[in-house]
Short mmCIF file of all heavy atoms in Angstrom, two decimals:
data_model
loop_
_atom_site.label_atom_id
_atom_site.label_comp_id
_atom_site.label_asym_id
_atom_site.label_seq_id
_atom_site.Cartn_x
_atom_site.Cartn_y
_atom_site.Cartn_z
N THR Z 145 -15.36 11.13 -39.83
CA THR Z 145 -13.92 11.62 -40.15
C THR Z 145 -12.94 11.31 -39.03
O THR Z 145 -11.71 11.14 -39.33
CB THR Z 145 -13.91 13.21 -40.34
OG1 THR Z 145 -14.70 13.80 -39.23
CG2 THR Z 145 -14.54 13.53 -41.67
N PRO Z 146 -13.36 11.14 -37.75
CA PRO Z 146 -12.35 10.68 -36.72
C PRO Z 146 -11.78 9.24 -37.12
O PRO Z 146 -10.86 8.74 -36.57
CB PRO Z 146 -13.05 10.65 -35.35
CG PRO Z 146 -14.07 11.70 -35.61
CD PRO Z 146 -14.49 11.52 -37.10
N GLY Z 147 -12.33 8.67 -38.09
CA GLY Z 147 -11.91 7.33 -38.51
C GLY Z 147 -10.45 7.32 -39.14
O GLY Z 147 -9.98 6.31 -39.39
N VAL Z 148 -9.99 8.57 -39.38
CA VAL Z 148 -8.57 8.71 -39.83
C VAL Z 148 -7.63 8.09 -38.87
O VAL Z 148 -6.48 7.71 -39.23
CB VAL Z 148 -8.13 10.22 -39.99
CG1 VAL Z 148 -8.98 10.86 -41.03
CG2 VAL Z 148 -8.18 10.95 -38.61
N GLY Z 149 -8.10 7.89 -37.61
CA GLY Z 149 -7.28 7.12 -36.64
C GLY Z 149 -6.94 5.60 -37.16
O GLY Z 149 -5.91 5.13 -36.64
N LEU Z 150 -7.75 5.12 -38.00
CA LEU Z 150 -7.32 3.82 -38.46
C LEU Z 150 -6.03 3.72 -39.34
O LEU Z 150 -5.63 2.54 -39.49
CB LEU Z 150 -8.51 3.28 -39.41
CG LEU Z 150 -9.80 2.87 -38.70
CD1 LEU Z 150 -10.89 2.57 -39.80
CD2 LEU Z 150 -9.57 1.70 -37.76
N LEU Z 151 -5.57 4.84 -39.66
CA LEU Z 151 -4.21 4.90 -40.33
C LEU Z 151 -3.17 4.30 -39.38
O LEU Z 151 -2.15 3.77 -39.87
CB LEU Z 151 -3.88 6.35 -40.71
CG LEU Z 151 -2.58 6.59 -41.36
CD1 LEU Z 151 -2.43 5.85 -42.71
CD2 LEU Z 151 -2.36 8.00 -41.46
N TRP Z 152 -3.43 4.50 -38.05
CA TRP Z 152 -2.35 3.92 -37.19
C TRP Z 152 -2.18 2.42 -37.34
O TRP Z 152 -1.04 1.96 -37.32
CB TRP Z 152 -2.93 4.26 -35.66
CG TRP Z 152 -2.00 3.86 -34.68
CD1 TRP Z 152 -0.96 4.61 -34.07
CD2 TRP Z 152 -1.81 2.53 -33.94
NE1 TRP Z 152 -0.38 3.95 -33.07
CE2 TRP Z 152 -0.82 2.67 -32.97
CE3 TRP Z 152 -2.62 1.43 -34.07
CZ2 TRP Z 152 -0.45 1.68 -32.18
CZ3 TRP Z 152 -2.30 0.42 -33.11
CH2 TRP Z 152 -1.20 0.51 -32.21
N PHE Z 153 -3.28 1.67 -37.53
CA PHE Z 153 -3.20 0.22 -37.72
C PHE Z 153 -2.49 -0.17 -39.02
O PHE Z 153 -1.74 -1.07 -39.07
CB PHE Z 153 -4.65 -0.37 -37.76
CG PHE Z 153 -5.34 -0.22 -36.43
CD1 PHE Z 153 -6.16 0.74 -36.16
CD2 PHE Z 153 -5.23 -1.22 -35.46
CE1 PHE Z 153 -6.75 0.96 -34.92
CE2 PHE Z 153 -5.91 -1.19 -34.26
CZ PHE Z 153 -6.58 -0.03 -33.93
N ALA Z 154 -2.73 0.78 -40.09
CA ALA Z 154 -2.00 0.43 -41.33
C ALA Z 154 -0.44 0.64 -41.20
O ALA Z 154 0.34 -0.18 -41.77
CB ALA Z 154 -2.61 1.39 -42.46
N ILE Z 155 -0.13 1.67 -40.60
CA ILE Z 155 1.29 2.05 -40.43
C ILE Z 155 1.94 0.93 -39.55
O ILE Z 155 3.06 0.60 -39.76
CB ILE Z 155 1.42 3.38 -39.83
CG1 ILE Z 155 0.99 4.47 -40.74
CG2 ILE Z 155 2.93 3.59 -39.31
CD1 ILE Z 155 1.06 5.95 -40.14
N ARG Z 156 1.20 0.46 -38.46
CA ARG Z 156 1.84 -0.57 -37.60
C ARG Z 156 1.61 -2.01 -38.23
O ARG Z 156 1.99 -2.99 -37.67
CB ARG Z 156 0.98 -0.49 -36.24
CG ARG Z 156 1.11 0.80 -35.45
CD ARG Z 156 2.46 1.13 -35.10
NE ARG Z 156 2.95 0.10 -34.20
CZ ARG Z 156 4.26 0.19 -33.82
NH1 ARG Z 156 5.09 1.05 -34.26
NH2 ARG Z 156 4.79 -0.73 -33.06
N ARG Z 157 1.04 -2.03 -39.37
CA ARG Z 157 0.88 -3.32 -40.09
C ARG Z 157 0.04 -4.30 -39.36
O ARG Z 157 0.14 -5.55 -39.32
CB ARG Z 157 2.20 -3.92 -40.53
CG ARG Z 157 2.92 -3.03 -41.44
CD ARG Z 157 4.24 -3.76 -41.89
NE ARG Z 157 4.96 -2.99 -42.91
CZ ARG Z 157 6.10 -3.33 -43.53
NH1 ARG Z 157 6.65 -4.49 -43.08
NH2 ARG Z 157 6.76 -2.43 -44.26
#
Side-chain angles (χ1 to χ4, degrees):
T145 51
V148 299
L150 288 173
L151 176 63
W152 186 91
F153 293 93
I155 294 174
R156 302 296 299 171
R157 297 184 179 181

